[in-house]
Coordinates of all heavy atoms in Angstrom, one line a residue:
M1 N -12.8 -16.5 64.4 CA -11.8 -17.0 63.5 C -12.4 -17.5 62.2 O -13.7 -17.5 62.1 CB -11.1 -18.2 64.1 CG -10.2 -17.8 65.2 SD -9.2 -19.3 65.8 CE -8.3 -19.6 64.3
V2 N -11.6 -17.7 61.2 CA -12.1 -18.2 59.9 C -11.5 -19.6 59.7 O -10.4 -19.9 60.2 CB -11.7 -17.2 58.8 CG1 -11.6 -17.9 57.4 CG2 -12.7 -16.1 58.8
A3 N -12.2 -20.4 59.0 CA -11.7 -21.7 58.6 C -12.0 -21.9 57.1 O -12.8 -21.2 56.5 CB -12.4 -22.8 59.4
I4 N -11.4 -23.0 56.6 CA -11.5 -23.3 55.1 C -12.1 -24.6 55.0 O -11.6 -25.6 55.6 CB -10.2 -23.1 54.3 CG1 -9.7 -21.7 54.3 CG2 -10.3 -23.7 52.9 CD1 -8.3 -21.6 53.6
D5 N -13.2 -24.8 54.2 CA -13.7 -26.0 53.9 C -12.8 -26.6 52.8 O -12.9 -26.2 51.6 CB -15.1 -25.9 53.3 CG -15.8 -27.3 53.0 OD1 -14.9 -28.3 52.9 OD2 -17.0 -27.4 52.8
E6 N -11.9 -27.5 53.1 CA -10.9 -28.0 52.2 C -11.4 -28.7 51.0 O -10.9 -28.5 49.9 CB -9.9 -29.0 52.9 CG -8.7 -29.3 52.1 CD -7.8 -30.3 52.9 OE1 -7.5 -30.1 54.1 OE2 -7.4 -31.2 52.3
T7 N -12.6 -29.2 51.1 CA -13.2 -29.9 49.8 C -13.7 -28.8 48.9 O -13.9 -29.1 47.7 CB -14.4 -30.8 50.3 OG1 -15.4 -30.0 51.0 CG2 -14.0 -31.9 51.2
E8 N -13.9 -27.6 49.4 CA -14.4 -26.6 48.4 C -13.4 -25.6 48.0 O -13.6 -24.8 47.1 CB -15.5 -25.7 49.2 CG -16.8 -26.4 49.6 CD -17.6 -26.9 48.4 OE1 -17.5 -26.1 47.3 OE2 -18.2 -27.9 48.4
C9 N -12.1 -25.8 48.5 CA -11.0 -24.9 48.2 C -10.3 -25.4 46.9 O -9.8 -26.5 46.9 CB -10.0 -24.9 49.3 SG -8.6 -23.9 48.9
T10 N -10.3 -24.7 45.9 CA -9.6 -25.1 44.6 C -8.2 -24.7 44.6 O -7.5 -25.0 43.6 CB -10.4 -24.4 43.4 OG1 -10.2 -22.9 43.6 CG2 -11.8 -24.8 43.4
G11 N -7.7 -24.0 45.6 CA -6.3 -23.6 45.6 C -6.1 -22.5 44.6 O -4.9 -22.2 44.1
C12 N -7.1 -21.6 44.4 CA -7.0 -20.5 43.4 C -6.1 -19.4 43.9 O -5.6 -18.5 43.1 CB -8.3 -20.1 42.9 SG -9.2 -19.1 44.2
D13 N -5.9 -19.3 45.2 CA -5.1 -18.3 45.8 C -5.7 -16.9 45.8 O -5.1 -15.9 46.2 CB -3.7 -18.1 45.2 CG -2.9 -19.4 45.4 OD1 -3.3 -20.3 46.1 OD2 -1.8 -19.5 44.8
L14 N -7.0 -16.7 45.4 CA -7.6 -15.4 45.3 C -7.7 -14.7 46.7 O -7.7 -13.5 46.8 CB -9.0 -15.5 44.6 CG -9.0 -15.7 43.1 CD1 -10.4 -15.8 42.6 CD2 -8.4 -14.4 42.4
C15 N -7.9 -15.5 47.7 CA -8.2 -14.9 49.0 C -6.9 -14.4 49.7 O -6.9 -13.6 50.6 CB -8.8 -16.0 49.9 SG -7.8 -17.5 50.1
I16 N -5.7 -14.9 49.2 CA -4.5 -14.6 50.0 C -4.3 -13.1 50.3 O -4.0 -12.7 51.3 CB -3.3 -15.2 49.3 CG1 -3.3 -16.8 49.4 CG2 -2.0 -14.7 49.9 CD1 -2.2 -17.4 48.6
P17 N -4.4 -12.2 49.2 CA -4.0 -10.8 49.5 C -5.1 -10.1 50.3 O -4.9 -9.0 50.7 CB -4.0 -10.2 48.1 CG -4.7 -11.1 47.2 CD -4.5 -12.5 47.7
F18 N -6.3 -10.7 50.5 CA -7.4 -10.1 51.3 C -7.1 -10.2 52.8 O -7.8 -9.6 53.6 CB -8.7 -10.8 51.0 CG -9.3 -10.3 49.7 CD1 -8.9 -10.9 48.5 CD2 -10.2 -9.2 49.6 CE1 -9.4 -10.5 47.3 CE2 -10.7 -8.8 48.4 CZ -10.3 -9.4 47.3
C19 N -6.1 -11.0 53.2 CA -5.8 -11.2 54.6 C -4.6 -10.3 55.0 O -3.5 -10.4 54.6 CB -5.5 -12.6 55.0 SG -5.0 -12.8 56.7
P20 N -4.9 -9.2 55.8 CA -3.8 -8.3 56.3 C -2.8 -9.0 57.1 O -1.7 -8.5 57.3 CB -4.5 -7.2 57.0 CG -6.0 -7.5 56.8 CD -6.2 -8.9 56.4
F21 N -3.1 -10.2 57.7 CA -2.2 -10.8 58.6 C -1.5 -12.1 58.1 O -0.9 -12.8 58.9 CB -3.0 -11.1 59.9 CG -3.6 -9.9 60.5 CD1 -4.9 -9.6 60.2 CD2 -2.9 -9.1 61.4 CE1 -5.5 -8.4 60.7 CE2 -3.5 -8.0 62.0 CZ -4.7 -7.6 61.6
E22 N -1.6 -12.2 56.8 CA -0.9 -13.4 56.1 C -1.3 -14.7 56.8 O -0.5 -15.5 57.1 CB 0.6 -13.1 56.0 CG 0.9 -12.0 55.3 CD 2.3 -11.7 55.0 OE1 3.1 -12.5 55.5 OE2 2.7 -10.8 54.2
A23 N -2.6 -14.8 57.1 CA -3.1 -16.1 57.7 C -3.6 -17.1 56.7 O -3.9 -18.2 57.2 CB -4.2 -15.7 58.7
L24 N -3.8 -16.7 55.5 CA -4.2 -17.6 54.5 C -3.0 -18.0 53.6 O -2.5 -17.2 52.8 CB -5.4 -17.0 53.6 CG -6.6 -16.5 54.4 CD1 -7.4 -15.6 53.5 CD2 -7.4 -17.7 54.8
L25 N -2.6 -19.2 53.7 CA -1.3 -19.7 53.0 C -1.5 -21.1 52.4 O -2.2 -21.9 53.0 CB -0.1 -19.6 54.0 CG 0.3 -18.2 54.4 CD1 1.4 -18.4 55.5 CD2 0.8 -17.4 53.3
P26 N -0.9 -21.3 51.3 CA -1.0 -22.6 50.6 C -0.3 -23.7 51.5 O 0.8 -23.4 52.0 CB -0.4 -22.4 49.3 CG -0.2 -20.9 49.1 CD -0.2 -20.4 50.5
M27 N -0.8 -24.9 51.4 CA -0.1 -26.0 52.1 C 1.2 -26.3 51.2 O 1.3 -26.2 50.0 CB -0.9 -27.2 52.0 CG -2.1 -27.2 52.9 SD -3.2 -28.6 52.9 CE -2.2 -29.7 53.8
A28 N 2.3 -26.6 51.9 CA 3.6 -26.8 51.3 C 3.6 -28.1 50.5 O 4.2 -28.2 49.5 CB 4.7 -26.8 52.4
E29 N 2.8 -29.1 51.0 CA 2.7 -30.4 50.2 C 1.2 -30.6 49.9 O 0.4 -30.4 50.7 CB 3.2 -31.5 51.1 CG 4.7 -31.4 51.3 CD 5.2 -32.7 51.9 OE1 4.5 -33.8 51.9 OE2 6.3 -32.6 52.5
N30 N 1.0 -30.9 48.6 CA -0.4 -31.2 48.2 C -0.9 -32.5 48.6 O -0.3 -33.6 48.2 CB -0.4 -31.0 46.6 CG -1.8 -31.0 46.1 OD1 -2.7 -31.3 46.8 ND2 -1.9 -30.6 44.9
P31 N -1.9 -32.6 49.4 CA -2.4 -33.9 49.9 C -3.3 -34.5 48.8 O -3.8 -35.6 49.0 CB -3.3 -33.5 51.1 CG -3.7 -32.1 50.8 CD -2.6 -31.4 50.0
R32 N -3.5 -33.8 47.7 CA -4.5 -34.3 46.7 C -3.8 -35.1 45.6 O -2.6 -34.8 45.3 CB -5.3 -33.2 46.0 CG -6.1 -32.4 47.0 CD -6.7 -31.1 46.4 NE -7.6 -30.5 47.2 CZ -8.0 -29.3 47.1 NH1 -7.5 -28.5 46.2 NH2 -9.0 -28.8 47.9
D33 N -4.5 -36.0 45.0 CA -3.9 -36.8 43.9 C -3.8 -35.9 42.6 O -2.9 -36.0 41.8 CB -4.7 -38.0 43.5 CG -4.7 -39.0 44.6 OD1 -3.6 -39.0 45.4 OD2 -5.6 -39.8 44.8
K34 N -4.7 -35.0 42.4 CA -4.7 -34.1 41.3 C -5.3 -32.8 41.7 O -6.1 -32.7 42.6 CB -5.5 -34.7 40.1 CG -6.9 -35.1 40.3 CD -7.5 -35.7 39.1 CE -8.9 -36.2 39.3 NZ -9.5 -36.8 38.2
G35 N -5.0 -31.8 41.0 CA -5.5 -30.4 41.3 C -4.5 -29.7 42.2 O -3.5 -30.2 42.7
K36 N -4.8 -28.4 42.3 CA -3.9 -27.5 43.2 C -4.0 -27.8 44.7 O -5.1 -28.3 45.1 CB -4.1 -26.1 43.0 CG -3.6 -25.5 41.6 CD -3.7 -24.0 41.5 CE -2.7 -23.4 42.3 NZ -2.8 -21.9 42.3
R37 N -3.0 -27.5 45.4 CA -3.0 -27.8 46.8 C -4.0 -26.7 47.4 O -4.1 -25.6 47.1 CB -1.6 -27.6 47.5 CG -1.1 -26.2 47.6 CD -0.7 -25.6 46.2 NE -0.3 -24.2 46.3 CZ -1.0 -23.2 46.1 NH1 -2.3 -23.4 45.8 NH2 -0.6 -22.0 46.1
P38 N -4.7 -27.2 48.5 CA -5.6 -26.2 49.2 C -4.8 -25.3 50.1 O -3.6 -25.4 50.3 CB -6.5 -27.1 50.0 CG -5.7 -28.3 50.3 CD -4.7 -28.5 49.1
L39 N -5.5 -24.2 50.6 CA -4.9 -23.3 51.5 C -5.4 -23.7 52.9 O -6.4 -24.4 53.1 CB -5.4 -21.9 51.3 CG -4.6 -21.0 50.4 CD1 -4.4 -21.6 49.0 CD2 -5.1 -19.6 50.3
I40 N -4.7 -23.2 53.9 CA -5.1 -23.4 55.3 C -5.2 -22.0 56.0 O -4.5 -21.1 55.5 CB -4.2 -24.3 56.1 CG1 -2.8 -23.8 56.3 CG2 -4.2 -25.7 55.5 CD1 -2.0 -24.5 57.4
V41 N -5.8 -22.0 57.1 CA -5.8 -20.7 57.9 C -4.8 -21.0 59.0 O -4.9 -21.9 59.8 CB -7.2 -20.4 58.6 CG1 -7.1 -19.2 59.5 CG2 -8.3 -20.3 57.5
V42 N -3.8 -20.1 59.0 CA -2.7 -20.2 60.1 C -3.3 -19.6 61.3 O -3.5 -18.4 61.4 CB -1.4 -19.5 59.7 CG1 -0.4 -19.6 60.7 CG2 -0.9 -20.1 58.3
E43 N -3.6 -20.5 62.2 CA -4.5 -20.1 63.4 C -3.7 -19.0 64.3 O -4.4 -18.1 64.8 CB -4.8 -21.3 64.3 CG -5.7 -22.3 63.7 CD -6.0 -23.5 64.6 OE1 -5.5 -23.5 65.8 OE2 -6.6 -24.4 64.1
T44 N -2.4 -19.1 64.3 CA -1.7 -18.1 65.1 C -1.7 -16.7 64.5 O -1.3 -15.7 65.2 CB -0.2 -18.6 65.4 OG1 0.3 -19.0 64.1 CG2 -0.2 -19.7 66.4
N45 N -2.0 -16.7 63.2 CA -2.1 -15.3 62.5 C -3.5 -14.8 62.4 O -3.6 -13.6 62.3 CB -1.5 -15.4 61.1 CG 0.0 -15.7 61.1 OD1 0.6 -15.9 62.2 ND2 0.6 -15.8 60.0
C46 N -4.5 -15.7 62.4 CA -5.9 -15.1 62.2 C -6.4 -14.4 63.4 O -6.5 -15.0 64.5 CB -6.7 -16.3 61.8 SG -8.5 -15.9 61.5
V47 N -6.9 -13.2 63.2 CA -7.4 -12.4 64.3 C -9.0 -12.4 64.2 O -9.6 -11.7 65.0 CB -6.9 -11.1 64.4 CG1 -5.3 -11.0 64.6 CG2 -7.2 -10.2 63.1
G48 N -9.6 -13.0 63.1 CA -11.0 -13.0 63.0 C -11.5 -11.7 62.5 O -12.7 -11.4 62.8
C49 N -10.8 -11.0 61.7 CA -11.3 -9.7 61.3 C -12.3 -9.9 60.1 O -13.1 -8.9 59.8 CB -10.2 -8.8 60.7 SG -9.3 -9.5 59.3
L50 N -12.4 -11.0 59.5 CA -13.4 -11.4 58.5 C -13.1 -10.6 57.2 O -14.1 -10.6 56.3 CB -14.9 -11.3 58.9 CG -15.2 -12.1 60.2 CD1 -16.6 -11.8 60.5 CD2 -14.8 -13.5 60.1
S51 N -12.0 -9.9 57.0 CA -11.7 -9.2 55.8 C -11.8 -10.2 54.6 O -12.0 -9.8 53.4 CB -10.4 -8.5 55.8 OG -10.4 -7.6 56.8
C52 N -11.4 -11.4 54.8 CA -11.3 -12.4 53.7 C -12.6 -13.1 53.3 O -12.7 -13.6 52.3 CB -10.3 -13.4 54.1 SG -10.9 -14.4 55.6
I53 N -13.6 -13.0 54.1 CA -14.7 -13.9 54.1 C -15.5 -13.9 52.8 O -15.9 -15.0 52.4 CB -15.7 -13.7 55.3 CG1 -16.5 -14.9 55.7 CG2 -16.6 -12.5 55.2 CD1 -15.7 -15.9 56.5
S54 N -15.6 -12.8 52.1 CA -16.4 -12.9 50.9 C -15.5 -12.9 49.6 O -15.9 -12.7 48.6 CB -17.3 -11.6 50.8 OG -16.5 -10.5 50.9
S55 N -14.2 -13.1 49.9 CA -13.2 -13.1 48.7 C -13.2 -14.5 48.0 O -12.7 -14.5 46.9 CB -11.8 -12.7 49.2 OG -11.3 -13.8 50.0
C56 N -13.8 -15.5 48.6 CA -13.7 -16.8 48.0 C -14.8 -17.1 47.0 O -15.9 -17.1 47.4 CB -13.7 -17.9 49.1 SG -13.6 -19.6 48.4
P57 N -14.5 -17.4 45.7 CA -15.5 -17.6 44.8 C -16.3 -18.9 45.0 O -17.4 -19.1 44.5 CB -14.8 -17.7 43.4 CG -13.4 -18.0 43.8 CD -13.2 -17.4 45.2
T58 N -15.7 -19.8 45.7 CA -16.4 -21.2 45.9 C -17.1 -21.2 47.3 O -17.7 -22.2 47.7 CB -15.5 -22.3 45.8 OG1 -14.6 -22.3 46.9 CG2 -14.8 -22.3 44.5
G59 N -17.0 -20.2 48.1 CA -17.6 -20.2 49.5 C -16.9 -21.1 50.5 O -17.5 -21.6 51.4
A60 N -15.6 -21.3 50.2 CA -14.9 -22.3 51.1 C -14.5 -21.6 52.5 O -14.3 -22.4 53.4 CB -13.6 -22.7 50.4
L61 N -14.5 -20.3 52.5 CA -14.2 -19.6 53.8 C -15.4 -19.5 54.5 O -16.5 -19.0 54.1 CB -13.6 -18.2 53.5 CG -12.2 -18.2 52.8 CD1 -11.9 -16.8 52.3 CD2 -11.2 -18.7 53.8
F62 N -15.4 -19.8 55.9 CA -16.5 -19.6 56.7 C -16.1 -19.2 58.2 O -14.9 -19.5 58.6 CB -17.4 -20.9 56.8 CG -16.7 -22.1 57.3 CD1 -16.8 -22.4 58.7 CD2 -15.9 -22.8 56.5 CE1 -16.2 -23.6 59.2 CE2 -15.2 -24.0 57.1 CZ -15.5 -24.4 58.5
E63 N -16.9 -18.5 58.8 CA -16.6 -18.1 60.2 C -16.8 -19.2 61.2 O -17.7 -19.9 61.1 CB -17.5 -16.9 60.5 CG -17.0 -16.2 61.9 CD -18.0 -15.0 62.2 OE1 -18.8 -14.7 61.5 OE2 -17.7 -14.5 63.3
V64 N -15.9 -19.2 62.1 CA -16.0 -20.2 63.2 C -16.1 -19.2 64.6 O -15.2 -18.5 64.8 CB -14.8 -21.1 63.4 CG1 -14.9 -22.0 64.6 CG2 -14.5 -21.9 62.2
E65 N -17.2 -19.3 65.1 CA -17.4 -18.5 66.3 C -16.7 -19.1 67.5 O -17.0 -20.3 67.7 CB -18.9 -18.3 66.6 CG -19.5 -17.3 65.7 CD -20.9 -16.8 66.1 OE1 -21.0 -16.6 67.3 OE2 -21.7 -16.6 65.2
I66 N -16.0 -18.3 68.2 CA -15.4 -18.9 69.5 C -16.4 -18.5 70.6 O -16.8 -17.3 70.8 CB -14.1 -18.2 69.7 CG1 -13.1 -18.6 68.6 CG2 -13.5 -18.7 71.0 CD1 -11.8 -17.9 68.6
P67 N -16.8 -19.4 71.5 CA -17.8 -19.2 72.5 C -17.3 -18.1 73.4 O -16.1 -18.0 73.7 CB -18.0 -20.5 73.2 CG -17.4 -21.6 72.3 CD -16.4 -20.9 71.4
A68 N -18.3 -17.2 73.8 CA -17.9 -16.2 74.7 C -17.3 -16.7 76.1 O -16.5 -16.0 76.7 CB -19.1 -15.3 75.1
D69 N -17.7 -17.9 76.4 CA -17.1 -18.4 77.7 C -16.0 -19.4 77.5 O -15.5 -20.1 78.4 CB -18.3 -19.1 78.5 CG -18.8 -20.3 77.7 OD1 -18.5 -20.4 76.5 OD2 -19.5 -21.0 78.3
A70 N -15.3 -19.3 76.3 CA -14.1 -20.2 76.0 C -13.0 -19.9 76.9 O -12.8 -18.6 77.2 CB -13.7 -19.9 74.6
I71 N -12.5 -20.9 77.4 CA -11.4 -20.7 78.5 C -10.0 -20.5 77.8 O -9.2 -19.7 78.2 CB -11.3 -21.8 79.5 CG1 -12.6 -21.9 80.3 CG2 -10.2 -21.7 80.5 CD1 -12.8 -23.1 81.1
I72 N -9.8 -21.3 76.8 CA -8.6 -21.4 76.0 C -8.7 -20.8 74.7 O -9.6 -21.3 73.8 CB -7.9 -22.8 76.0 CG1 -7.8 -23.2 77.5 CG2 -6.6 -22.8 75.3 CD1 -7.3 -24.7 77.5
S73 N -7.9 -19.8 74.3 CA -7.9 -19.3 73.0 C -7.0 -20.1 72.0 O -6.0 -20.6 72.4 CB -7.4 -17.9 73.0 OG -7.1 -17.4 71.6
P74 N -7.5 -20.3 70.8 CA -6.7 -21.1 69.8 C -5.4 -20.3 69.5 O -4.5 -20.9 68.9 CB -7.6 -21.2 68.7 CG -8.7 -20.3 68.8 CD -8.9 -20.1 70.3
L75 N -5.5 -19.0 69.7 CA -4.3 -18.3 69.5 C -3.1 -18.6 70.5 O -2.0 -18.5 70.2 CB -4.5 -16.7 69.6 CG -5.5 -16.2 68.6 CD1 -5.8 -14.8 68.8 CD2 -5.0 -16.4 67.2
I76 N -3.6 -19.1 71.6 CA -2.5 -19.5 72.6 C -2.1 -20.9 72.5 O -1.0 -21.3 72.7 CB -3.1 -19.2 74.1 CG1 -3.4 -17.7 74.2 CG2 -2.1 -19.7 75.2 CD1 -4.2 -17.4 75.5
H77 N -3.1 -21.8 72.2 CA -2.8 -23.2 72.0 C -3.3 -23.6 70.7 O -4.3 -24.3 70.6 CB -3.5 -24.0 73.1 CG -3.0 -23.7 74.5 ND1 -1.8 -24.1 74.9 CD2 -3.5 -23.0 75.5 CE1 -1.5 -23.7 76.1 NE2 -2.6 -23.0 76.5
P78 N -2.7 -23.2 69.6 CA -3.1 -23.6 68.3 C -2.9 -25.1 68.0 O -2.1 -25.7 68.6 CB -2.1 -22.8 67.3 CG -0.9 -22.5 68.1 CD -1.4 -22.5 69.5
T79 N -3.8 -25.6 67.1 CA -3.6 -27.0 66.8 C -2.4 -27.2 65.9 O -2.0 -26.3 65.3 CB -4.9 -27.5 66.1 OG1 -5.1 -26.7 64.9 CG2 -6.1 -27.4 67.0
Q80 N -1.9 -28.5 65.8 CA -0.8 -28.8 64.9 C -1.3 -28.5 63.5 O -2.3 -29.0 63.1 CB -0.4 -30.2 65.1 CG 0.9 -30.6 64.5 CD 2.1 -30.2 65.4 OE1 1.9 -30.1 66.6 NE2 3.2 -30.1 64.8
Q81 N -0.5 -27.7 62.8 CA -0.8 -27.4 61.4 C 0.2 -27.9 60.4 O 1.4 -27.9 60.8 CB -1.0 -26.0 61.2 CG -2.2 -25.5 62.1 CD -2.8 -24.2 61.6 OE1 -2.1 -23.2 61.5 NE2 -4.1 -24.1 61.3
P82 N -0.2 -28.2 59.2 CA 0.8 -28.7 58.2 C 1.6 -27.5 57.8 O 1.3 -26.3 58.0 CB -0.1 -29.1 57.0 CG -1.4 -28.6 57.3 CD -1.5 -28.3 58.7
A83 N 2.8 -27.8 57.2 CA 3.7 -26.7 56.7 C 3.0 -26.0 55.6 O 2.2 -26.5 54.8 CB 5.0 -27.3 56.2
V84 N 3.4 -24.7 55.5 CA 2.8 -23.8 54.4 C 3.9 -23.2 53.6 O 5.1 -23.2 54.0 CB 2.0 -22.7 55.1 CG1 0.7 -23.2 55.7 CG2 2.8 -21.9 56.1
E85 N 3.5 -22.8 52.3 CA 4.4 -22.1 51.5 C 4.5 -20.7 51.9 O 3.5 -20.1 52.5 CB 3.8 -22.0 50.1 CG 3.8 -23.3 49.3 CD 3.2 -23.1 47.9 OE1 3.1 -21.9 47.4 OE2 2.8 -24.1 47.4
V86 N 5.6 -20.1 51.6 CA 5.8 -18.6 51.9 C 5.3 -17.9 50.6 O 5.5 -18.3 49.5 CB 7.3 -18.3 52.1 CG1 7.5 -16.7 52.1 CG2 7.8 -19.0 53.3
V87 N 4.4 -16.9 50.8 CA 3.8 -16.2 49.6 C 4.4 -14.7 49.9 O 4.1 -14.1 50.8 CB 2.3 -16.2 49.7 CG1 1.8 -15.2 48.6 CG2 1.8 -17.6 49.5
E88 N 5.1 -14.2 48.8 CA 5.6 -12.9 48.8 C 4.5 -11.9 48.6 O 3.8 -12.0 47.6 CB 6.7 -12.7 47.7 CG 7.4 -11.5 47.9 CD 7.9 -11.1 49.3 OE1 8.8 -11.8 49.9 OE2 7.4 -10.1 49.8
R89 N 4.4 -11.0 49.5 CA 3.3 -10.0 49.4 C 3.8 -8.6 49.0 O 3.1 -7.9 48.1 CB 2.6 -9.8 50.7 CG 1.8 -11.0 51.2 CD 0.5 -11.2 50.5 NE -0.4 -10.1 50.7 CZ -1.2 -9.9 51.8 NH1 -1.2 -10.8 52.7 NH2 -2.0 -8.8 51.9
F90 N 4.9 -8.2 49.5 CA 5.2 -6.8 49.4 C 6.4 -6.4 48.6 O 6.8 -5.3 48.6 CB 5.1 -6.1 50.8 CG 3.9 -6.4 51.4 CD1 3.7 -7.1 52.5 CD2 2.7 -5.8 50.9 CE1 2.5 -7.3 53.1 CE2 1.5 -6.0 51.5 CZ 1.3 -6.8 52.6
K91 N 7.2 -7.4 48.1 CA 8.3 -7.1 47.3 C 7.9 -6.8 45.9 O 6.6 -7.0 45.5 CB 9.3 -8.3 47.2 CG 10.1 -8.3 48.5 CD 11.3 -9.4 48.3 CE 12.1 -9.5 49.5 NZ 12.8 -10.8 49.5
R92 N 8.7 -6.4 45.0 CA 8.3 -6.1 43.6 C 7.8 -7.4 43.0 O 8.4 -8.4 43.1 CB 9.6 -5.6 42.8 CG 9.3 -5.3 41.4 CD 10.6 -4.9 40.6 NE 11.1 -3.7 41.1 CZ 10.9 -2.5 40.6 NH1 10.1 -2.4 39.5 NH2 11.5 -1.4 41.0
G93 N 6.6 -7.3 42.4 CA 6.1 -8.5 41.8 C 5.3 -9.3 42.7 O 4.7 -10.3 42.4
G94 N 5.2 -8.9 44.1 CA 4.5 -9.6 45.0 C 3.0 -9.4 44.9 O 2.5 -8.6 44.0
L95 N 2.1 -10.1 45.6 CA 0.7 -10.0 45.5 C 0.1 -8.7 45.9 O -0.9 -8.2 45.5 CB 0.0 -11.1 46.3 CG 0.2 -12.5 45.8 CD1 -0.5 -13.6 46.7 CD2 -0.4 -12.6 44.4
G96 N 0.8 -8.1 47.0 CA 0.3 -6.8 47.5 C -1.1 -6.8 48.1 O -1.5 -7.9 48.7
W97 N -1.9 -5.8 48.0 CA -3.2 -5.7 48.5 C -4.2 -5.9 47.3 O -3.9 -5.6 46.2 CB -3.5 -4.4 49.2 CG -2.7 -4.1 50.4 CD1 -1.7 -3.4 50.5 CD2 -2.9 -4.8 51.7 NE1 -1.2 -3.4 51.8 CE2 -1.9 -4.3 52.5 CE3 -3.8 -5.7 52.2 CZ2 -1.8 -4.7 53.8 CZ3 -3.7 -6.1 53.5 CH2 -2.7 -5.6 54.3
P98 N -5.4 -6.4 47.6 CA -6.4 -6.6 46.5 C -7.1 -5.3 46.1 O -8.3 -5.3 45.9 CB -7.4 -7.6 47.1 CG -7.4 -7.3 48.6 CD -6.0 -6.8 48.9
L99 N -6.4 -4.2 45.9 CA -7.0 -2.9 45.6 C -6.5 -2.6 44.1 O -5.4 -3.0 43.7 CB -6.5 -1.8 46.5 CG -6.8 -2.0 48.0 CD1 -6.1 -0.9 48.8 CD2 -8.3 -1.9 48.1
P100 N -7.4 -2.0 43.4 CA -7.0 -1.5 42.0 C -5.7 -0.7 42.1 O -5.6 0.2 43.0 CB -8.2 -0.6 41.5 CG -9.2 -0.7 42.5 CD -8.7 -1.4 43.8
K101 N -4.9 -0.9 41.2 CA -3.6 -0.1 41.2 C -3.9 1.4 40.9 O -4.6 1.7 40.0 CB -2.6 -0.7 40.1 CG -2.1 -2.1 40.6 CD -0.6 -2.2 40.1 CE 0.1 -3.4 40.5 NZ -0.5 -4.3 41.4
Q102 N -3.2 2.2 41.7 CA -3.3 3.7 41.4 C -2.3 4.0 40.3 O -1.2 3.6 40.4 CB -3.0 4.4 42.7 CG -3.8 4.1 43.9 CD -5.3 4.5 43.7 OE1 -5.6 5.7 43.3 NE2 -6.3 3.7 44.1
R103 N -2.7 4.9 39.4 CA -1.8 5.4 38.3 C -1.4 4.2 37.4 O -1.0 3.2 37.7 CB -0.6 6.1 38.9 CG -1.0 7.5 39.3 CD 0.2 8.2 39.8 NE 0.4 7.9 41.2 CZ 1.5 8.2 41.9 NH1 2.5 8.8 41.4 NH2 1.5 7.9 43.2
Ligands
LIG201 S1 -10.3 -18.1 47.4 FE1 -11.4 -19.9 48.2 S2 -11.0 -21.5 46.7 FE2 -9.5 -19.9 46.3 S3 -7.7 -20.5 47.6 FE3 -8.9 -19.1 48.9 S4 -10.3 -20.5 50.0 FE4 -9.4 -21.7 48.4
LIG202 S1 -10.4 -13.4 59.4 FE1 -8.9 -11.7 59.0 S2 -6.9 -12.5 59.9 FE2 -8.4 -14.3 59.7 S3 -7.8 -15.2 57.7 FE3 -9.5 -13.8 57.3 S4 -8.5 -11.8 56.8 FE4 -6.9 -13.1 57.7

C-alpha cells in the first residue's frame, strides 16, 4: 500500500490522476489553519500498484509494506478515514489520465 506523509503534502493534487483506482483524494475538510487541504489514501481503493509513488514533487507518498504473514488485510478492515472530496476524472473537463493529450 501507499501512504501520505501529511506534513509533506501541499495539497497540490498532482498525484490524483496517477492513481487508476481513485485512491488519492483530497480531504473534504481542511484540518490546517492555512494552506490547501492535504490528500489521503483511501485504503479500500488502494491496491498497492505504486503507479503514483514518483508523482509527488515533495516526496510525500511512500510505500507501506504489508508483512507477508499479515493475518488481516487493511482492505478488509480499513481504518476509520475522514471524508474526502469527489474529484471528477473522466467527464469533459475532468482530470483524466496524466498522459500527454493526443492530437
Ligand atoms: S502530489 Fe504530493 S504534495 Fe501534491 S497532493 Fe499529492 S501527495 Fe500531496
Ligand atoms: S499505490 Fe496504486 S492504487 Fe494505491 S494510491 Fe498509488 S496508484 Fe493508487
Side-chain angles (χ1 to χ4, degrees):
M1 290 186 64
V2 155
I4 294 178
D5 180 346
E6 193 179 309
T7 61
E8 296 294 327
C9 177
T10 62
C12 69
D13 297 352
L14 283 176
C15 58
I16 292 176
F18 285 84
C19 177
F21 301 95
E22 300 190 349
L24 299 169
L25 291 173
M27 293 177 74
E29 291 189 20
N30 191 348
R32 297 170 170 163
D33 293 334
K34 56 183 178 182
K36 285 190 76 181
R37 76 286 179 268
L39 268 62
I40 65 165
V41 179
V42 179
E43 292 179 8
T44 48
N45 291 4
C46 179
V47 300
C49 66
L50 304 184
S51 299
C52 61
I53 202 82
S54 59
S55 67
C56 176
T58 67
L61 292 165
F62 63 97
E63 183 179 3
V64 179
E65 284 194 37
I66 299 175
D69 60 350
I71 296 171
I72 299 174
S73 165
L75 296 176
I76 297 171
H77 295 285
T79 54
Q80 192 83 23
Q81 295 200 304
V84 290
E85 285 177 24
V86 174
V87 174
E88 186 51 62
R89 293 281 301 279
F90 302 112
K91 281 187 182 167
R92 182 186 292 269
L95 290 179
W97 295 106
L99 299 172
K101 289 215 176 352
Q102 304 290 316
R103 281 180 277 168

